[in-house]
Amino acid sequence: QVQLVESGGGLVQAGGSLRLSCAVSGSNLIIGAMAWYRQAPGKQRELVASISGRGITQYEDSVKDRFTISRDNAKNTVFLQMNNLKPNDTAVYFCNVAAQYWGRPSIYWGQGTQVTVSS
């Protein structure tokens, strides 16, 4: 069984910082691309940032130069460092992982962590 455990969300004032973590566990697991999505109330889930297995990163335009995605392959963990947070960043943030579990490729999601930015 593959599990994704997220942490690091919370309430912060505008201009503040938060660091999200997502630890992936499971036996016989090969992890590929990892990503963070977010979903604000009444809106569709959107891709915030992604990182390939080789470390190539991509960002949604509104978070470029403020957010940094990284990964620790030894710990099967992906991070999202969020700086200069804005009220529009308020959303539930979800970890997303592409992985092969016992040789079968699939997409896995975390449970979500709430990020609230006050003005």
Side-chain angles (χ1 to χ4, degrees):
Q1 185 177 357
V2 178
Q3 289 189 321
L4 280 66
V5 179
E6 301 173 9
S7 60
L11 173 65
V12 65
Q13 289 187 333
S17 298
L18 285 173
R19 189 187 194 215
L20 306 182
S21 300
C22 174
V24 186
S25 63
S27 59
N28 212 318
L29 190 65
I30 300 174
I31 297 175
M34 308 177 88
W36 288 95
Y37 285 71
R38 66 185 178 187
Q39 187 167 19
K43 295 187 177 181
Q44 289 189 333
R45 191 172 297 189
E46 65 174 358
L47 176 64
V48 176
S50 66
I51 183 167
S52 72
R54 296 184 178 184
I56 298 171
T57 59
Q58 291 185 316
Y59 296 92
E60 193 269 329
D61 285 346
S62 71
V63 308
K64 285 180 181 177
D65 301 323
R66 298 189 299 122
F67 291 9
T68 302
I69 189 171
S70 61
R71 61 192 288 169
D72 182 336
N73 291 329
K75 297 182 178 180
N76 288 346
T77 300
V78 62
F79 305 96
L80 185 68
Q81 178 67 42
M82 305 184 292
N83 298 328
N84 191 21
L85 282 159
K86 302 177 180 181
N88 283 347
D89 295 320
T90 295
V92 178
Y93 284 69
F94 297 90
C95 174
N96 170 283
V97 172
Q100 292 187 37
Y101 181 56
W102 290 94
R104 298 185 63 179
S106 188
I107 300 295
Y108 299 92
W109 290 90
Q111 79 283 2
T113 185
Q114 177 70 46
V115 171
T116 303
V117 185
S118 63
S119 56

